[in-house]
Amino acid sequence: MIDDLKKRSLHRARILEGQLRGVTKMIENEDYCVDIITQTLAIQKSLRSLNKLLVENHLRTHVAHMFAEGGEQQDAAVAELLTVYELENRSK
């Protein structure tokens, strides 16, 4: 991984861990449902942010290398990115 993207991804993952622990406590405490939902929506936003960093790293490293190789490697990179795109669109 690119050092800066790795650092930022780990930071985002740690924030997500804390957010999820907070939601667990909210459920245990039987907090107001809308407050819990607000937190889970914030977690989803944080996950999207983490995914963006991971995709950026993948594009700058693996995909760039696969495109430089050309041929089947380039085709594999395109197929991989289309799969990620389809997964993202299924979750909406």
Side-chain angles (χ1 to χ4, degrees):
M1 283 190 85
I2 297 170
D3 287 339
D4 177 59
L5 293 174
K6 180 178 180 179
K7 180 181 174 184
R8 291 166 51 203
S9 295
L10 287 169
H11 177 72
R12 175 60 53 201
R14 289 182 183 112
I15 289 171
L16 279 158
E17 287 175 337
Q19 288 176 310
L20 195 52
R21 280 192 302 273
V23 167
T24 301
K25 287 179 185 177
M26 291 175 81
I27 293 168
E28 290 172 348
N29 295 336
E30 298 183 17
D31 286 2
Y32 189 61
C33 295
V34 173
D35 292 340
I36 298 170
I37 292 167
T38 300
Q39 288 304 102
T40 61
L41 291 171
I43 290 170
Q44 289 174 10
K45 184 176 180 182
S46 293
L47 279 170
R48 284 191 299 274
S49 176
L50 175 59
N51 283 338
K52 182 178 176 184
L53 290 170
L54 295 172
V55 167
E56 179 181 354
N57 184 78
H58 189 63
L59 289 169
R60 293 183 184 276
T61 57
H62 299 100
V63 173
H65 175 75
M66 293 169 86
F67 264 72
E69 291 285 318
E72 290 181 19
Q73 287 293 313
Q74 184 174 338
D75 293 341
V78 170
E80 205 174 65
L81 292 173
L82 288 172
T83 298
V84 170
Y85 176 78
E86 289 170 0
L87 288 171
E88 170 62 20
N89 285 328
R90 273 191 236 154
S91 67
K92 291 182 179 182

